[in-house]
Amino acid sequence: MQKLKLKILGLFRSKKINIFLLFFVLAFSILVLTKLSKVYTATLAFKVKPKEVSDTHVIVKANNPELDITIQTTGFNWLRYAIKRPELDINFKTDVSKKDSTLIWSVSKGFSNINKQFGKEEKIISINPDTLLFRFDVNDVKYVPIILNSKIQYAKGYNTLDTLRTTPDSIKLIGPSTVLKSISKVRTQQLELIDVKSNVNKTLLLKLDSLNKNIKTNLKHVNLSVNVSKFSEGILDIPINIINIPEGVKVNYFPKQVSLSFTTSLENFNTIKTEDFKVICDYNEAPGNSALVPKLVKQPKKVKNIRVLQQKIEFIITE
């Protein structure tokens, strides 16, 4: 028994057997390549994948989700189809017609787009069935605002003039009208920032888990960009205008102007002028004719944290 094992090992170690194996592998490879290079004709079932479906249409059921296509092509392509089951796109925008609650695809209308999905060395002999029927339901489309869920604390002396809102600021929802009626907004994930001294650029996920499973949207996240800069406080004296004074009545009031404090960025500070603001007192709103209340009715967009420092304006009526 031991001698037999030694003879077999010696045979495999000899150069003759190695040369034999090399030629055997080469011959087998040539045979396989020759077979794969030949052209064969066969029929294969292709899965159908809807494309370009209208937002308002929901495909409920197809009577036949596959197309049996007879193809003439090389063995290399048949090997590729054997490894991965083939799938074809059906363009619902150009190749489908609508009748009642059914979408109809036909070979005569959709052959061109089907043919484009095959290579030049692949020839379509036939397609069966020649018609596919897809039942559909109708959805509504609704746009709702995206609510930024954030808590941003700026470092001392820093702030922003930007309005905090996401890009985009609304989301397109598709689904049954009865479900869409109950949805008025979609929130972002929580964002918390402290001691902010530089510009903010964040990508925030939307909280979509709470939506009904029948609601669809292609928007998963939004962007938030905030320009942050150094701020300074300023104070201006703004003249008061009294409105709604009755005809024949003269009013004497004090003070004639109010001090107003505000904050703005350093780069805008010197551009803020008195005439950018307007403060009025409404005579009709004087409580018991004892005092007037100043109201800010005009202000520039480049300021924040405005405060009117005098809350009451004393006045007397003179004939």
Side-chain angles (χ1 to χ4, degrees), residues 18-288:
N18 289 338
I19 294 172
F20 172 77
L21 289 174
L22 176 62
F23 277 101
F24 176 79
V25 171
L26 288 175
F28 182 77
S29 298
I30 293 172
L31 177 64
V32 171
L33 291 174
T34 301
K35 291 290 185 181
L36 291 177
S37 299
K38 290 184 178 181
V39 175
Y40 301 91
T41 300
T43 301
L44 195 61
F46 285 77
K47 284 185 177 181
V48 168
K49 185 178 179 181
K51 287 285 187 178
E52 301 291 337
V53 181
S54 171
D55 287 342
T56 58
H57 290 164
V58 178
I59 305 302
V60 178
K61 185 179 179 182
N63 70 328
N64 187 350
E66 293 184 340
L67 287 174
D68 293 327
I69 302 181
T70 302
I71 309 169
Q72 188 179 80
T73 188
T74 63
F76 288 105
N77 285 324
W78 286 116
L79 179 62
R80 173 168 60 87
Y81 288 137
I83 295 173
K84 183 179 179 181
R85 187 172 182 186
E87 192 174 69
L88 288 174
D89 295 337
I90 286 186
N91 193 314
F92 273 57
K93 189 175 182 180
T94 59
D95 302 340
V96 171
S97 57
K98 183 171 69 172
K99 183 178 181 181
D100 299 327
S101 60
T102 304
L103 296 171
I104 304 171
W105 177 89
S106 63
V107 171
S108 60
K109 195 171 184 179
F111 179 82
S112 177
N113 279 332
I114 292 293
N115 192 47
K116 289 177 183 177
Q117 298 177 57
F118 290 89
K120 293 181 180 179
E121 70 282 2
E122 297 173 293
K123 182 180 179 181
I124 296 176
I125 304 301
S126 65
I127 299 177
N128 287 298
D130 60 2
T131 302
L132 292 178
L133 304 180
F134 298 87
R135 284 185 53 232
F136 71 92
D137 200 353
V138 177
N139 271 336
D140 281 347
V141 177
K142 183 179 182 180
Y143 288 86
V144 298
I146 295 172
I147 306 301
L148 176 63
N149 189 13
S150 67
K151 184 178 181 181
I152 301 177
Q153 296 180 359
Y154 300 96
K156 187 176 181 180
Y158 289 83
N159 211 316
T160 182
L161 293 172
D162 292 346
T163 301
L164 297 186
R165 60 185 175 191
T166 62
T167 304
D169 59 2
S170 64
I171 183 172
K172 180 181 179 181
L173 302 177
I174 304 168
S177 58
T178 53
V179 178
L180 289 177
K181 286 179 181 178
S182 62
I183 304 174
S184 59
K185 59 184 176 292
V186 171
R187 293 184 177 275
T188 68
Q189 68 179 105
Q190 177 72 28
L191 173 67
E192 291 190 11
L193 300 173
I194 60 173
D195 200 33
V196 176
K197 296 181 180 178
S198 58
N199 293 343
V200 176
N201 290 287
K202 296 288 184 180
T203 298
L204 303 175
L205 291 173
L206 295 174
K207 299 179 71 173
L208 302 175
D209 293 343
S210 59
L211 295 180
N212 187 287
K213 65 179 181 180
N214 293 319
I215 299 298
K216 296 180 180 179
T217 180
N218 58 1
L219 188 64
K220 305 297 182 182
H221 55 78
V222 293
N223 297 318
L224 174 66
S225 296
V226 184
N227 294 315
V228 178
S229 56
K230 188 77 173 175
F231 266 52
S232 181
E233 184 178 31
I235 296 179
L236 291 175
D237 292 328
I238 311 299
I240 300 171
N241 295 309
I242 300 179
I243 63 172
N244 295 325
I245 299 176
E247 187 176 351
V249 175
K250 292 184 179 180
V251 175
N252 189 16
Y253 58 94
F254 181 83
K256 303 294 184 183
Q257 58 188 20
V258 293
S259 295
L260 183 148
S261 68
F262 62 90
T263 59
T264 188
S265 62
L266 290 179
E267 61 184 16
N268 292 320
F269 189 84
N270 292 328
T271 67
I272 307 302
K273 305 298 181 184
T274 300
E275 52 268 26
D276 294 331
F277 301 88
K278 184 177 181 180
V279 175
I280 65 167
C281 291
D282 191 341
Y283 181 85
N284 291 335
E285 295 180 0

Side-chain angles (χ1 to χ4, degrees), residues 1-13:
M1 187 67 179
Q2 186 66 27
K3 291 181 179 180
L4 179 61
K5 288 183 179 179
L6 291 175
K7 287 182 178 181
I8 294 173
L9 289 174
L11 182 63
F12 276 97
R13 286 172 183 165

